[in-house]
Amino acid sequence: RAERKRVASADAAQAQSAAAAAKAQWSAMRDDPRATKEDFWQQISVACGLESSAAAEADAEICATLRGYYPESLEVLRAAKEQQVVLGMISNHLSFWFHKECGTALEGLIDQELLLVSSEVACSKPGPEIFQLFLERLGKLHPGLTAADCVFVDDKAENVAAAQSLGFQGLLYDARKAAQGDLAKA
């Protein structure tokens, strides 16, 4: 019984260590266009002694989490698209997961030129570069549209503030915490 508690405690400690290492590695790689899933897990394994089988399990968990779309958000995007609203997205994400797990839900909704994934464009929110790149691409596709014509929606206040400082309208919205219908009302 005592041995099982020690094993469970060690497993929990390793999981906590792996989660912290994964968060740090995500931040380190999110602006790197050369980032690969293999490199990500190699760094995590080195940082906390994670075995390859555990890395595969953790990767599957991450992928399952990323598949958790927010139906209301997609409904609002579809309704906006039907009304000829130009849609774009700026994501602090690693492209190897983003396109596999999130990209299919966005197909047909967002022009690929206006879908900026931080690890592909080598910059991230809240830095101004990713917003400026978005505005450059927007201007090429839709001359005359400016930051003032854009509503930037994000779940982090610092990202909304950064967009607003560049002239975007901002909306702080967290789909994980919002009540049904909140986004449509906004």
Side-chain angles (χ1 to χ4, degrees), residues 22 26 29 36-37 40-41 44 55 58-60 62-64 66-67 93-103 117 119:
W26 181 291
M29 294 179 89
T36 67
K37 189 184 289 192
F40 180 88
W41 289 113
I44 303 303
D59 185 71
I62 289 172
C63 290
L66 294 175
R67 284 186 211 116
H93 218 301
L94 298 173
S95 63
F96 52 81
W97 277 318
F98 182 86
H99 292 293
K100 179 179 181 208
E101 304 302 337
C102 305
V117 178
S119 71

Side-chain angles (χ1 to χ4, degrees), residues 144-173:
L145 289 182
T146 67
D149 299 311
C150 299
V151 178
F152 177 76
V153 181
D154 201 277
D155 62 345
K156 293 183 176 50
E158 64 271 18
N159 294 342
V160 173
Q164 288 173 321
S165 75
L166 294 168
F168 289 78
Q169 298 173 58
L171 175 64
L172 183 62
Y173 174 79

Side-chain angles (χ1 to χ4, degrees), residues 40-60:
F40 180 88
W41 289 113
Q42 175 62 31
Q43 293 298 321
I44 303 303
S45 296
V46 168
C48 60
L50 192 66
E51 294 179 21
S52 60
S53 62
E57 288 175 29
D59 185 71

Side-chain angles (χ1 to χ4, degrees), residues 116-136:
L116 280 67
V117 178
S118 62
S119 71
E120 293 175 346
V121 297
C123 52
S124 58
K125 304 174 285 185
E129 297 85 3
I130 199 161
F131 295 104
Q132 292 164 342
L133 179 58
F134 177 85
L135 291 173
E136 287 172 25

